[in-house]
Amino acid sequence: MSESESNNPQIVWHETSVSRQDRERLLGQKGCLIWFTGLSGCGKSTIANALDQLLVKQGANTFLLDGDNIRHGLCAPPNRLSEEHGESFAKRFGLGFGPEDREENIRRIGAIGQLFAAAGLVTLAAFVSPYRIDRDRVRKALEENGTNDFIEIFVDTPLEICEQRDPKGLYKQARAGKIPNFTGISDPYEAPENPEIHLKAGDGRTPQELATEIYDYLTNRGQLA
Ligand SMILES: Nc1ncnc2c1ncn2[C@@H]1O[C@H](COP(=O)(O)OS(=O)(=O)O)[C@@H](OP(=O)(O)O)[C@H]1O
Ligand SMILES: Nc1ncnc2c1ncn2[C@@H]1O[C@H](COP(=O)(O)OP(=O)(O)O)[C@@H](O)[C@H]1O
């Protein structure tokens, strides 16, 4: 009996008939979870989008999970949930930016990303994901599944550049004390220690050039058809 079964004897894993290998054969690619992490404004969404375009153009089956979008639905904040579900539900399941909320955010995305990868999709996830332990848990979950398909990309753009860009005006508000727990300003960012790719994203290269670096890495490791 597995550990999860002994904790929850009423919840039993059901094996499916179509295997991951069947799906991957059909798609002609290997499923994986490409995880972009970095400060707000470092370029995660832009580079992930550029890579997604490049992959689709070459015939890959992909899906992009983006922090801002996921926080509109699966990981919505309490104020988006309260009208339809009530205050107590919204308080319990809505997510903000405190450490536990971010932990739950990354746990949910990790679980979804794991399912998408198991479906054979080249899955891209772009989240600040500032805590090493949260990212490492996602990696561990994929590795426990017998794969090494968690590909961590540290989008390393210096804080000064992110703050200069400030496309949503969030840094300005955070500096003025209007946004609590803002990563890089009033909240920590723990850089990956051994990412598969350390992308020096503030060195003047365009998002397309940076996406090509990742695309070449994926090709070399045999991830694509
Ligand atoms: N306090 C605080 N800290 C960091 N970011 C904040 C915060 N409040 C709002 N935002 C906006 O939310 C986006 C980050 O959401 P994520 O789901 O990626 O965050 S996390 O992974 O749970 O840390 C992030 O999007 P990106 O700028 O695309 O990274 C911000 O626009
Ligand atoms: N390599 C780059 N060079 C110059 N500007 C960039 C680069 N990557 C992203 N940007 C710009 O920086 C801003 C923030 O990028 P974005 O992808 O939204 O970051 P994040 O998703 O990490 O918050 C956007 O205006 C984007 O056009």
Side-chain angles (χ1 to χ4, degrees), residues 39-41 44-45 67-68 71 97 102 105-106 126-130 168 170 179-183:
L39 296 169
S40 174
K44 299 180 297 296
S45 299
D68 280 326
R71 279 184 178 271
F97 289 90
R102 294 191 202 244
N105 189 36
I106 300 312
F127 294 85
V128 173
S129 44
K168 303 169 200 157
L170 297 178
I179 307 179
N181 304 109
F182 198 82
T183 306

Side-chain angles (χ1 to χ4, degrees), residues 156-171:
D156 186 4
T157 306
L159 176 64
E160 307 76 69
I161 297 182
C162 298
E163 198 166 354
Q164 226 167 25
R165 291 179 179 164
D166 204 9
K168 303 169 200 157
L170 297 178
Y171 280 100

Side-chain angles (χ1 to χ4, degrees), residues 5-128:
E5 279 174 326
S6 62
N7 289 340
N8 284 295
Q10 304 88 340
I11 302 171
V12 179
W13 185 267
H14 192 95
E15 291 302 336
T16 53
S17 307
V18 181
S19 72
R20 173 174 180 158
Q21 287 72 25
D22 292 331
R23 297 184 194 285
E24 292 185 333
R25 214 172 301 119
L26 206 63
L27 295 171
Q29 61 184 35
K30 284 193 207 152
C32 61
L33 179 55
I34 305 173
W35 192 279
F36 294 80
T37 171
L39 296 169
S40 174
C42 71
K44 299 180 297 296
S45 299
T46 311
I47 300 164
N49 263 290
L51 175 63
D52 198 20
Q53 276 182 303
L54 206 55
L55 288 164
V56 168
K57 216 161 124 191
Q58 300 300 324
N61 288 275
T62 68
F63 198 80
L64 169 57
L65 302 161
D66 186 274
D68 280 326
N69 299 348
I70 296 293
R71 279 184 178 271
H72 278 74
L74 179 67
C75 300
N79 61 4
R80 284 184 84 93
L81 299 177
S82 55
E83 195 179 321
E84 188 144 355
H85 297 276
E87 289 299 330
S88 128
F89 180 99
K91 200 167 163 218
R92 188 161 169 216
F93 297 112
L95 299 182
F97 289 90
E100 278 191 348
D101 291 48
R102 294 191 202 244
E103 178 177 341
E104 174 60 3
N105 189 36
I106 300 312
R107 191 191 70 80
R108 289 183 199 172
I109 313 308
I112 296 285
Q114 191 174 355
L115 291 174
F116 282 16
L121 296 178
V122 176
T123 313
L124 298 89
F127 294 85
V128 173

Side-chain angles (χ1 to χ4, degrees), residues 143-173:
E143 285 174 355
E144 275 172 0
N145 235 13
T147 68
N148 65 341
D149 296 325
F150 183 77
I151 300 167
E152 190 174 30
I153 301 181
F154 175 26
V155 184
D156 186 4
T157 306
L159 176 64
E160 307 76 69
I161 297 182
C162 298
E163 198 166 354
Q164 226 167 25
R165 291 179 179 164
D166 204 9
K168 303 169 200 157
L170 297 178
Y171 280 100
K172 201 161 166 223
Q173 289 186 58

